Amino acid sequence: MNPNLRGGGGGGGGGGPPVHSGGGGNAETIHNMDFAEYRKRGKEMVDYIADYLENIRSRRVFPNVQPGYMRDLVSDSAPQDGEDWDAIFADVERVIMPGVTHWQSPYMHAYFPALNSFPSLLGDMLADAINCLGFTWASSPACTELETIVMDWLGKMIGLPQEFLHSTSNKMSDGGGVIQTTASEATFVALLAARTEAIRRVRQIRPDLDDAEINSRLVGYCSDQAHSSVEKAGLIGLVKLRLVNSDAQMSLRGEAFRSAVEADVADGLIPFFLCATLGTTGACAFDNLMELGPICQEENIWMHLDAAYAGSAFICPEYRSYLQGAEYAQSFAFNPSKWLMVHFDCTAMWVKNSRALHRTFCVDPLYLRHEKSGDAIDYMV
């Protein structure tokens, strides 16, 4: 990163066999990092991280920089030759840290909590080293097996209905959990699955309608306090989305929701999706699931629960009253990366019927098939 484009010759702690850049007689010798240097630099990195977190109180939380500040600190193009590690690492403090907002600082009170922890950091280090791709069970069995088990653990910890778990009483169920990157992605996945189910259901009743015609009539709902990602999901999914007014406590109630549904049905639309929020971003308000759930059940509306902000609180039994009515939901998601000291990004998502996701996203290319297909969970397909 350093603009002085140094070669990696002598001072970087040795390393692997030399590599010569092309270009004739002016080629510089650079070195690959070998195991010995990796051990040395890895220990230095752990010390740097520990020092950073231990002394983070001394750093200004919000950086005093202007847009474009970094362009004057680095070169206009990538280095032609490799650099010495010491020079690269020096740029962390020289270039990066002046522009960092220190989310782990105890003085950071903006947005939402985004805590990490030493076990989380170490776990990510090991995962990065193994670097397996868990798109099917066969691509790395331990990856799939661990995710399945831990998602059941987590679902039990927060008191989710058993229908959301992979297994109940040692029997496999239709439900289950999966790790997504963000709650926004989980909402979008749920909306697409709900759309597929709605189109499939309407086609059984009205075979004369094609998918495009049905899709044009679909309408989803959320509170006017819901996260902006719900509205974006509707835009990307090409479906109408109705923002329903919340009450004085910023909660979506059954009466307002029913009125919106009835008005849309009268207009020839097809209600298919509701995103109810448990802990809104703006005010940590909770939608009334006991009022909303029965309406969704009556109208065949997929209810997705976005508990991104406050879902971690359900680990405490005294807060689970806000979860009453979750049995009416088809999907649920929250962010362990906010309160559970698991670093970003990590969203836990559960569905009651994983077949709905399979019908929406399943493809079956030859290169993903394996001898355990059908007997094991393949998260990608």
Side-chain angles (χ1 to χ4, degrees):
M1 291 175 59
N2 195 289
N4 292 325
L5 303 190
R6 293 171 293 272
V19 178
H20 299 279
S21 61
N26 293 327
E28 297 186 49
T29 300
I30 60 175
H31 291 78
N32 290 325
M33 183 179 288
D34 61 11
F35 287 104
E37 186 179 6
Y38 174 72
R39 292 176 188 274
K40 176 178 182 291
R41 300 304 186 180
K43 292 181 177 69
E44 292 173 355
M45 182 65 78
V46 169
D47 286 340
Y48 177 83
I49 292 170
D51 289 341
Y52 166 73
L53 293 173
E54 187 174 21
N55 301 298
I56 197 169
R57 290 173 179 268
S58 64
R59 294 182 183 264
R60 178 189 175 111
V61 177
F62 188 74
N64 184 24
V65 296
Q66 299 300 319
Y69 87 95
M70 192 178 291
R71 290 197 174 275
D72 293 333
L73 300 177
V74 298
S75 57
D76 290 336
S77 57
Q80 293 295 317
D81 299 297
E83 293 187 330
D84 179 88
W85 176 258
D86 288 324
I88 295 172
F89 197 70
D91 283 346
V92 174
E93 286 292 337
R94 188 184 70 86
V95 178
I96 303 300
M97 284 299 178
V100 168
T101 299
H102 298 285
W103 281 65
Q104 302 309 308
S105 172
Y107 302 124
M108 170 69 176
H109 302 298
Y111 304 111
F112 48 80
L115 303 177
N116 61 24
S117 62
F118 295 133
S120 179
L121 295 174
L122 292 174
D124 204 47
M125 183 187 299
L126 178 60
D128 288 344
I130 296 174
N131 201 32
C132 65
L133 304 181
F135 44 75
T136 66
W137 182 90
S139 69
S140 189
C143 188
T144 296
E145 300 272 342
L146 182 61
E147 183 167 352
T148 301
I149 292 170
V150 171
M151 290 303 294
D152 273 2
W153 286 357
L154 190 55
K156 293 174 183 177
M157 288 169 64
I158 63 174
L160 279 183
Q162 286 196 342
E163 294 89 340
F164 285 104
L165 305 181
H166 286 284
S167 60
T168 58
S169 302
N170 296 321
K171 295 181 180 179
M172 297 304 294
S173 74
D174 290 332
V178 60
I179 296 174
Q180 305 284 11
T181 53
T182 66
S184 300
E185 180 182 10
T187 298
F188 185 45
V189 167
L191 181 140
L192 293 181
R195 185 182 69 174
T196 298
E197 294 300 284
I199 292 174
R200 182 168 171 263
R201 185 171 60 250
V202 174
R203 285 291 299 272
Q204 292 174 345
I205 303 171
R206 293 287 306 276
D208 56 306
L209 297 178
D210 61 26
D211 290 1
E213 173 64 21
I214 298 171
N215 193 81
S216 70
R217 299 186 187 182
L218 296 179
V219 58
Y221 305 87
C222 67
S223 156
D224 57 5
Q225 300 297 312
H227 193 270
S228 59
S229 61
V230 186
E231 193 170 0
K232 289 182 181 179
L235 291 173
I236 301 171
L238 299 176
V239 295
K240 300 175 181 66
L241 190 77
R242 191 86 66 229
L243 273 63
V244 183
N245 290 335
S246 55
D247 67 8
Q249 282 71 48
M250 301 184 182
S251 172
L252 180 59
R253 304 297 299 273
E255 184 178 353
F257 176 49
R258 186 182 291 279
S259 296
V261 169
E262 290 176 349
D264 286 331
V265 170
D267 287 340
L269 299 179
I270 304 171
F272 82 107
F273 178 77
L274 167 67
C275 181
T277 307
L278 300 179
T280 60
T281 303
C284 199
F286 292 78
D287 293 340
N288 193 314
L289 304 186
M290 292 300 291
E291 295 180 0
L292 301 172
I295 300 172
C296 290
Q297 189 174 63
E298 294 167 14
E299 302 292 338
N300 267 328
I301 295 173
W302 179 301
M303 184 165 72
H304 172 69
L305 303 184
D306 177 9
Y309 180 68
S312 300
F314 299 140
I315 287 179
C316 303
E318 60 267 30
Y319 293 119
R320 289 183 190 163
S321 59
Y322 293 110
L323 197 56
Q324 290 179 5
E327 63 272 15
Y328 293 104
Q330 297 301 315
S331 53
F332 177 96
F334 86 101
N335 288 349
S337 57
K338 286 188 168 68
W339 290 6
L340 295 189
M341 305 182 79
V342 177
H343 63 270
F344 186 84
D345 49 12
C346 178
T347 291
M349 179 185 183
W350 291 265
V351 293
K352 271 186 179 176
N353 185 3
S354 60
R355 291 188 178 92
L357 268 64
H358 294 163
R359 282 191 285 267
T360 303
F361 301 106
C362 183
V363 292
D364 190 28
L366 179 63
Y367 55 82
L368 290 181
R369 298 175 192 170
H370 56 89
E371 61 181 7
K372 301 299 182 182
S373 294
D375 296 328
I377 294 173
D378 288 330
Y379 278 116
M380 183 174 179
V381 298

